[in-house]
């Protein structure tokens, strides 16, 4: 027979075990899908975001990260946001344009020249903030903007000018502005998800692709398309988005906590990517890639028709607004 003290200790132990088990199961799991590899900057920023969300919500939420397109490619992940299949994703702004076509305008070529100009555009452009404010009606909202950098080319043959592009097939993602830019440069375009690109280049279906240096390094495109041509033709950051259904389930305090985590992970992402480019280019060069900076003038000249085409499709007003915002930023923050 147990004594009263033994029973008391057993009861207390049971209560403590129950409390611990309850605490262990109290965290609500939030699913975060992205297409970057585990060693990439998106994964690093996602880990920071997950840690901050747990910290700022007293471990009531656990952000579970699914990298490498495990759950979906970029367009599908955004659809899953709308359906409630995932809670967070991070993707190039143009990926969201399927649901708000005006966001294609952020992919117009040569809008900004530096990271600092790009950050100012995404954080403070009146036009762009107004467009982001429309996204909750589509089923998701922007929390912050992470960094990927400026888009450049990797090809299996040298690319020194638009003339070289005329014999090449270029992979593009489903974005009209990027496709128009590639076509004006001279490429034949092939639309495919990023998860298929490495094999497509390897098999000769396309001659190359265009993405920021961080993505080129992370997804190892330089292995099959070793000519890296730094045109920096489009600034291509990564809005971090949340399912609107998930957002509306949060208390005001939890919304504030998630926004704080999003802002801090964005600062981490921007610093990481900006300061990693030179190292990543050196690493790829050491592994056999050839890095070149072409004369940019011919590329700028080639894409001039894109702006007129954008006005035909999206209207003079929208195009003029974002061009004006970008021009004002370039004037106020000239490249050094």
């Amino acid at each position: 027979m147990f004594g009263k003290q033994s029973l008391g200790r057993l009861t207390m132990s049971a209560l403590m075990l129950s409390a611990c088990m309850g605490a262990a199961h109290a965290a609500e799991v939030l699913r975060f899908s992205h297409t970057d590899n585990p060693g990439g900057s998106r994964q690093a920023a996602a880990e920071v975001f997950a840690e901050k969300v747990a910290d700022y919500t007293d471990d009531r939420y656990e952000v579970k990260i699914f990298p490498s397109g495990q759950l979906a490619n970029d367009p599908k992940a955004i659809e899953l946001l709308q359906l409630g299949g995932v809670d967070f994703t991070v993707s190039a702004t143009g990926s969201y344009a399927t649901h708000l076509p005006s966001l294609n305008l952020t992919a117009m070529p040569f809008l900004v020249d530096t990271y600092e100009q790009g950050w100012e555009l995404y954080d403070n452009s009146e036009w762009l903030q107004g467009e982001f404010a429309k996204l909750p009606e589509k089923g998701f909202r922007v929390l912050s903007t992470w960094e990927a950098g400026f888009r450049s080319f990797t090809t299996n043959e040298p690319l020194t000018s638009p003339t070289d592009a005329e014999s090449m097939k270029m992979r593009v993602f489903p974005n009209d502005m990027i496709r128009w830019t590639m076509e004006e440069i001279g490429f034949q375009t092939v639309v495919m998800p990023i998860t298929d690109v490495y094999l497509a280049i390897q098999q000769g279906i396309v001659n190359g692709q265009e993405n920021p240096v961080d993505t080129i390094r992370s997804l190892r495109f330089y292995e099959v398309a070793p000519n890296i041509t730094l045109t920096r033709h489009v600034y291509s950051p990564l809005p971090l988005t949340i399912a609107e259904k998930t957002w509306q389930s949060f208390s005001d305090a939890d919304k504030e906590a998630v926004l704080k985590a999003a802002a801090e992970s964005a600062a981490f992402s921007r610093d990481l990517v900006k300061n990693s480019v030179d190292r990543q280019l050196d690493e790829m060069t050491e592994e056999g890639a050839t890095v070149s900076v072409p004369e940019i003038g011919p590329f700028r000249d080639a894409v001039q028709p894109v702006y007129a085409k954008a006005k035909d499709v999206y209207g003079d007003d929208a195009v003029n607004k974002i061009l004006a915002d970008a021009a004002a930023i370039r004037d106020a923050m000239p490249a050094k």
Side-chain angles (χ1 to χ4, degrees):
M1 296 291 291
F2 289 109
K4 288 183 178 181
Q5 286 186 328
S6 296
L7 284 171
R9 285 195 295 271
L10 284 170
T11 301
M12 183 60 70
S13 297
L15 288 171
M16 291 175 65
L17 178 60
S18 176
C20 289
M21 291 178 65
H25 290 87
E28 180 177 345
V29 175
L30 301 172
R31 290 152 64 92
F32 190 147
S33 173
H34 69 80
T35 55
D36 199 15
N37 280 342
S41 69
R42 265 173 279 186
Q43 177 67 14
E47 290 171 358
V48 170
F49 178 67
E51 179 184 342
K52 298 292 185 181
V53 168
D55 186 22
Y56 297 148
T57 64
D58 298 321
D59 293 317
R60 286 181 291 104
Y61 291 98
E62 175 192 355
V63 176
K64 188 171 183 180
I65 306 164
F66 296 87
S68 304
Q70 291 175 24
L71 298 184
N73 61 32
D74 288 316
K76 186 63 178 179
I78 296 167
E79 291 178 10
L80 288 176
L81 278 183
Q82 296 174 300
L83 298 172
V86 299
D87 301 287
F88 304 100
T89 195
V90 61
S91 185
T93 317
S95 298
Y96 300 100
T98 302
H99 308 281
L100 185 63
S102 57
L103 291 179
N104 271 323
L105 297 178
T106 63
M108 284 192 293
F110 302 109
L111 282 180
V112 295
D113 301 317
T114 68
Y115 285 100
E116 289 77 11
Q117 292 173 4
W119 300 340
E120 183 68 16
L121 181 69
Y122 269 75
D123 292 347
N124 295 311
S125 162
E126 183 177 348
W127 178 84
L128 186 52
Q129 290 302 311
E131 297 309 292
F132 282 165
K134 299 173 184 177
L135 290 175
E137 298 176 2
K138 308 296 182 180
F140 53 92
R141 67 173 58 215
V142 173
L143 296 175
S144 66
T145 302
W146 292 4
E147 191 56 84
F150 290 83
R151 302 181 82 88
S152 288
F153 294 105
T154 49
T155 52
N156 55 13
E157 297 292 338
L159 175 65
T160 61
S161 72
T163 302
D164 293 331
E166 294 173 5
S167 62
M168 296 186 187
K169 292 182 180 179
M170 177 61 55
R171 174 267 174 179
V172 296
F173 68 99
N175 178 274
D176 285 344
M177 199 66 60
I178 294 291
R179 179 171 56 82
W180 295 341
T181 298
M182 297 302 102
E183 290 172 351
E184 293 298 340
I185 289 172
F187 295 105
Q188 300 175 59
T189 57
V190 179
V191 176
M192 68 176 64
I194 197 169
T195 46
D196 296 343
V197 173
Y198 188 101
L199 187 60
I201 299 174
Q202 194 172 48
Q203 294 179 339
I205 297 170
V206 294
N207 297 98
Q209 62 83 52
E210 49 87 48
N211 257 301
V213 168
D214 183 75
T215 305
I216 292 168
R217 175 61 173 155
S218 172
L219 299 184
R220 308 189 73 83
F221 291 138
Y222 64 94
E223 293 179 343
V224 288
N227 296 282
I228 302 172
T229 307
L230 299 177
T231 49
R232 294 165 55 93
H233 49 273
V234 172
Y235 178 60
S236 187
L238 305 165
L240 168 65
T241 50
I242 183 173
E244 185 65 12
K245 181 179 179 181
T246 303
W247 177 258
Q248 294 301 337
S249 73
F250 291 156
S251 66
D252 288 347
D254 288 341
K255 289 176 180 177
E256 184 178 345
V258 170
L259 282 172
K260 185 177 180 183
E264 293 182 6
S265 60
F268 170 86
S269 172
R270 287 174 169 179
D271 182 70
L272 175 64
V273 172
K274 179 188 175 185
N275 294 314
S276 296
V277 170
D278 289 343
R279 172 183 57 78
Q280 291 171 331
L281 290 172
D282 287 343
E283 290 171 353
M284 290 187 285
T285 299
E286 290 172 3
E287 294 178 33
T290 299
V291 177
S292 63
V293 180
E295 184 181 350
I296 297 300
F299 288 93
R300 287 184 181 270
D301 292 342
V303 302
Q304 289 305 306
V306 172
Y307 306 108
K309 191 172 290 188
K311 290 180 179 180
D312 288 341
V313 174
Y314 300 101
D316 288 1
D317 187 55
V319 174
N320 288 337
K321 282 182 178 177
I322 187 171
L323 289 178
D325 283 354
I329 289 167
R330 292 197 307 273
D331 288 344
M333 306 173 66
K336 296 178 181 179

